[in-house]
Amino acid sequence: MTQTVRLPEASCSAAARARAEPVQASALTASRFLLLEVPGPWGRSALTESQLDRAIAEQLASQGDAAGVRIILIRRPGRLPAGHATDPVPAWAIADTSPGAERVQWGHWLDPADLLGIDLAASLTAAASSSGPQQVALVCTNAKRDRCCALLGRPVAAAVAAAGGWDAWECSHLGGHRFAANLLLLPSGQMFGQLGPESAVAALRRFEHGEILLDHHRGRCGHPPVVQAALHAAAVRLDDT
């Protein structure tokens, strides 16, 4: 049975859908990401308003800015008590979506200070593919950033996790909360928006067969918006998904 989520009429997502705002050419322009498993609640600025020590979080933010790496917090779908992880040793991962270098390198951390030793500027080698899952699906559920992400994102995250085949996580803000629910696939960098549980699973299955669900496709991360727009226009003109 499909769960229907009713959005408040004043929400940004409802407004974007009412005016038929296109989602295309709105993907993140970052091409490298640091994922940090941090369970529990996240504030509007998730990295510095979480269970992480604030001083360490601020240093990580500076390192990420210097290396051109976007930092995203992740947690497993479903509600868990603050500070409780499904794995007693939380994970971290670096994902590179650059064409020809798409990889995810995984690791674990015990002490938050350990995170400061991650080399964010290092190139990922082919060996990274043996360090953990290489089909990662992130769904934004950052309620403190925008309630639409929680209301629409949580059912989508649950559906993605139940669908199988992907390492599914809830995540902090991905940008474009008016397009909730938002889905980011790594290491391909493909982003999708205005998803529900059924369309999210459809996007996964289409991608597994080498196709893109164009109606919900925000673009590929790492490309400037003008390039994302051109690629979408070409796909529509050529009827090539």
Side-chain angles (χ1 to χ4, degrees):
M1 181 176 179
T2 301
Q3 181 181 12
T4 301
V5 178
R6 185 179 298 277
L7 283 170
E9 292 183 3
S11 72
C12 61
S13 291
R17 292 171 191 242
R19 63 177 176 261
E21 183 174 351
V23 303
Q24 290 76 30
S26 64
L28 298 170
T29 55
S31 60
R32 287 172 63 89
F33 301 88
L34 172 63
L35 313 182
L36 298 178
E37 184 180 4
V38 181
W42 305 324
R44 178 176 176 81
S45 178
L47 179 60
T48 56
E49 298 176 24
S50 68
Q51 301 295 317
L52 280 179
D53 177 82
R54 188 178 182 89
I56 290 176
E58 290 175 346
Q59 290 183 66
L60 273 174
S62 296
Q63 291 179 4
D65 288 343
V69 173
R70 185 179 178 109
I71 300 176
I72 298 175
L73 301 191
I74 59 174
R75 61 192 176 204
R76 290 301 185 186
R79 296 179 181 273
L80 292 171
H84 177 79
T86 53
D87 188 322
V89 184
W92 62 262
I94 295 179
D96 193 336
T97 67
S98 305
E102 298 97 329
R103 295 183 181 89
V104 184
Q105 178 179 333
W106 290 88
H108 291 87
W109 57 279
L110 294 172
D111 187 314
D114 297 340
L115 299 172
L116 299 177
I118 300 173
D119 188 353
L120 300 181
S123 298
L124 302 188
T125 66
S129 61
S130 64
S131 70
Q134 298 298 302
Q135 287 201 140
V136 182
L138 308 182
V139 180
C140 178
T141 60
N142 199 165
K144 292 292 186 179
R145 186 77 180 202
D146 191 278
R147 58 183 173 171
C148 296
C149 294
L151 290 171
L152 297 175
R154 285 179 182 140
V156 167
V160 169
W166 290 78
D167 192 40
W169 300 85
E170 295 183 5
C171 74
S172 57
H173 186 53
L174 291 176
H177 41 70
R178 67 191 184 281
F179 298 134
N182 289 298
L183 170 68
L184 170 59
L185 303 184
L186 295 172
S188 73
Q190 303 293 352
M191 284 193 75
F192 300 86
Q194 292 187 340
L195 293 169
E198 292 181 357
S199 55
V201 174
L204 294 180
R205 298 302 177 236
R206 292 281 291 273
F207 182 81
E208 290 167 358
H209 289 88
E211 299 182 353
I212 296 294
L213 190 63
L214 284 179
D215 289 347
H216 294 273
H217 189 225
R218 291 184 56 184
R220 175 172 175 158
C221 293
H223 289 314
V226 65
V227 175
Q228 297 178 32
L231 290 171
H232 177 78
V236 172
R237 180 71 177 270
L238 299 173
D239 191 25
D240 182 1
T241 59

